[in-house]
Amino acid sequence: ELLIFSRHVEITISAAGVKNGMKGESAASDEELTSDILSHYSSASETASVLEEGTGGEQVDVQTAQEETEDKLKQCIDNLMDRSAKTRLAALESLQQAFSSRVLYDFLTGQRLTVCDCLERSLKKGGGAEQAASATVFTLLCIQLGGGDEAEEGFKSLRPILTSILNDNSANIAARQSCAMTLGMCCYVSTAEGGEDLVKILALLESVFTSSYPNREGTLPSPKPGMPGLHTAALQAWSLLVTLCPASKLTELLELHLPKLQACLQSSDVNYRIAVGETIALLVELGRDIDEEFEVEDSEGLCECLKSLATDGNKHRAKNDRRKQRSIFREVLHYIENEDFTEERIRFGMESVYIDGWMRKRIYDAFKEILESGVRHHLQYNQLLRDIFGLGPPLILDAATIKGNKISRVEKHLFNSAAFKARTKLRNKVRDKRADVM
């Protein structure tokens, strides 16, 4: 069966190579290629993570599957240089799925320069959809490379073209949104904390979303079609980078942006309103971290506005939009008034990550947006994400260990209850100290 499977793979790869010489390779073949890549890497990863007792036969299977997958990835990379825009876009989508669902550091270390050159070409000469997909794939490449010297070098080479697209008012809106997200995320994973690059990209992103700020008369400008989505992407990328700022820079940003962001809570776009609300909560949290006596200017007016959004029942808004808005703004209001944050637990494998504040939520949401359903796999195996969330080296467990570590529902419930009580007690102590100081 293994020999038959291997011959089938060779035939598939050979056929893809022949098709590559023809104009307009079909999208269907690229979808099959993607499906094969994901299925091979899935089986290889699962077998490698939990090896049965016994031998090297399974290890050979893992190695064979990995080699086959790498051949298919190389074919996708070759397709990035195809004359057909349709073929290039299909290859980008295939790489996006592969990069988001698996950890490919060893493979991409050797292919980095080739991939960067292809992405730069697509960003410069491709259409809007191709530019948007190229920016997303480059973000995933930086995450795969772990934010080291390779990622920083790649970011420096592509940053000028990403900046040019973002600043180009005539460029495709989706491409500009993708470039805003890429600049924020790649700067976050590859730039030294408080560095010069950080300050420049913060200013660049500010220049985009501040066009939504009220004018001198206090009136919000009427947004052009597609602009609220761009403002949302730029604001979310900016707020991610704000978490890296030193206290001196953070104080400056709080004074400049908090009052104007409050006015943007009246925006007509629900997604932008939500992004503004979450950014306000994040800035307040960071302000309280650097100064226990930090207070929001016109806190009463802010809370009234948040209450209105948390109970919004306007029928002219979509039901799902109203529900999502009310949920988010209830959380923001509770935090502003009581420093209360509803903790979220993210499970993956035998581990968990606790989202216990707005800063941690912004970071997790940023990675979830780009990695989508693959975020849990990267939390489990990608050293960059494990370092960011304080998880340490990836766990290597065999089947016996996993089976021996399973606990009953009752034990799990008791453990969770005890952990919750301990966290509550610790938070109450911190709040009591703040109250004493005030």
Side-chain angles (χ1 to χ4, degrees):
E1 289 178 357
L2 180 59
L3 288 172
I4 293 170
F5 180 74
S6 298
R7 286 199 52 155
H8 170 67
V9 171
E10 288 173 8
I11 292 168
T12 303
I13 294 172
S14 299
V18 172
K19 285 181 182 179
N20 190 41
M22 305 162 110
K23 287 187 177 180
E25 180 179 354
S26 67
S29 63
D30 285 290
E31 290 174 3
E32 291 172 5
L33 194 61
T34 306
S35 178
D36 287 342
I37 290 171
L38 298 182
S39 62
H40 285 157
Y41 247 100
S42 178
S43 62
S45 176
E46 289 169 5
T47 310
S49 61
V50 184
L51 285 175
E52 304 264 344
E53 284 187 6
T55 59
E58 291 175 353
Q59 293 178 2
V60 172
D61 290 345
V62 172
Q63 184 176 357
T64 303
Q66 184 167 334
E67 289 173 355
E68 292 167 353
T69 304
E70 290 181 359
D71 286 340
K72 293 178 181 295
L73 286 168
K74 288 176 183 176
Q75 180 62 55
C76 286
I77 294 170
D78 288 343
N79 287 348
L80 293 178
M81 294 176 276
D82 196 273
R83 292 182 178 181
S84 167
K86 187 176 181 181
T87 300
R88 294 196 303 272
L89 183 58
L92 286 166
E93 291 170 350
S94 297
L95 290 175
Q96 181 178 342
Q97 291 183 49
F99 288 6
S100 62
S101 60
R102 296 293 150 207
V103 175
L104 305 166
Y105 176 80
D106 292 336
F107 170 75
L108 288 173
T109 299
Q111 297 289 326
R112 174 179 63 87
L113 295 177
T114 302
V115 174
C116 281
D117 288 343
C118 292
L119 295 178
E120 184 175 3
R121 188 180 300 110
S122 289
L123 285 167
K124 287 180 177 178
K125 299 181 179 180
E130 186 176 341
Q131 288 177 324
S134 297
T136 300
V137 170
F138 180 67
T139 307
L140 291 166
L141 177 63
C142 285
I143 293 172
Q144 288 279 354
L145 294 173
D149 293 339
E150 296 95 343
E152 187 173 356
E153 182 182 336
F155 182 46
K156 284 183 177 178
S157 65
L158 265 67
R159 194 176 78 182
I161 183 63
L162 292 167
T163 300
S164 176
I165 295 171
L166 178 59
N167 284 332
D168 185 357
N169 293 327
S170 64
N172 179 273
I173 285 290
R176 296 179 72 191
Q177 284 181 222
S178 189
C179 287
M181 179 272 295
T182 297
L183 284 163
M185 179 61 81
C186 292
C187 181
Y188 180 83
V189 301
S190 66
T191 303
E193 185 172 331
E196 183 180 347
D197 289 343
L198 174 63
V199 175
K200 287 181 179 178
I201 293 181
L202 279 170
L204 172 63
L205 294 168
E206 284 176 11
S207 70
V208 176
F209 70 79
T210 51
S211 63
S212 69
Y213 280 3
N215 55 29
R216 293 181 180 179
E217 289 74 32
T219 306
L220 292 177
S222 298
K224 297 177 182 178
M227 290 306 291
L230 177 59
H231 294 155
T232 300
L235 180 61
Q236 289 175 334
W238 179 84
S239 61
L240 174 67
L241 294 182
V242 165
T243 64
L244 297 177
C245 290
S248 57
K249 180 65 177 176
L250 189 57
T251 302
E252 174 190 327
L253 294 176
L254 288 169
E255 293 177 357
L256 178 62
H257 291 283
L258 257 182
K260 294 178 180 177
L261 283 171
Q262 291 181 41
C264 290
L265 289 171
Q266 303 299 330
S267 169
S268 59
D269 184 82
V270 63
N271 291 320
Y272 187 53
R273 284 198 303 274
I274 289 172
V276 168
E278 290 181 331
T279 301
I280 288 173
L282 170 66
L283 293 176
V284 171
E285 180 181 85
L286 294 172
R288 287 171 174 170
D289 284 344
I290 60 175
D291 182 4
E292 293 181 347
E293 298 183 3
F294 176 81
E295 292 184 5
V296 181
E297 185 179 340
D298 189 22
S299 59
E300 290 185 7
L302 173 60
C303 289
E304 284 300 318
C305 182
L306 294 174
K307 286 177 184 176
S308 174
L309 292 167
T311 57
D312 186 6
N314 289 336
K315 298 296 183 183
H316 68 274
R317 287 177 184 153
K319 189 175 181 180
N320 288 338
D321 287 348
R322 292 202 307 270
R323 186 184 296 115
K324 182 180 178 182
Q325 175 180 288
R326 288 197 295 263
S327 174
I328 294 293
F329 281 104
R330 278 197 298 269
E331 295 293 332
V332 175
L333 178 62
H334 290 163
Y335 179 75
I336 299 297
E337 288 186 328
N338 307 312
E339 297 186 40
D340 186 23
F341 182 89
T342 303
E343 189 174 275
E344 181 182 1
R345 183 184 182 186
I346 312 298
R347 293 189 179 99
F348 53 95
M350 295 185 64
E351 302 171 275
S352 297
V353 161
Y354 287 93
I355 309 301
D356 55 2
W358 291 100
M359 182 175 77
R360 206 165 172 85
K361 175 177 169 56
R362 176 81 287 271
I363 296 169
Y364 175 75
D365 285 350
F367 280 103
K368 184 179 179 182
E369 182 180 358
I370 186 66
L371 294 169
E372 298 178 339
S373 60
V375 66
R376 283 178 168 81
H377 182 85
H378 279 265
L379 282 170
Q380 197 166 359
Y381 298 110
N382 188 318
Q383 191 59 57
L384 171 66
L385 268 73
R386 296 186 67 84
D387 288 343
I388 289 171
F389 290 98
L391 295 168
L395 300 181
I396 301 175
L397 303 171
D398 57 22
T401 304
I402 293 173
K403 188 174 181 181
N405 278 280
K406 285 186 177 178
I407 60 176
S408 68
R409 287 186 177 182
V410 175
E411 290 174 319
K412 191 181 292 184
H413 174 72
L414 292 173
F415 173 81
N416 290 339
S417 297
F420 178 78
K421 288 178 182 178
R423 287 193 299 273
T424 303
K425 188 178 291 185
L426 180 62
R427 285 182 169 182
N428 287 339
K429 285 182 180 179
V430 174
R431 288 175 184 144
D432 290 342
K433 287 180 180 179
R434 287 183 176 177
D436 292 341
V437 170
M438 290 177 68

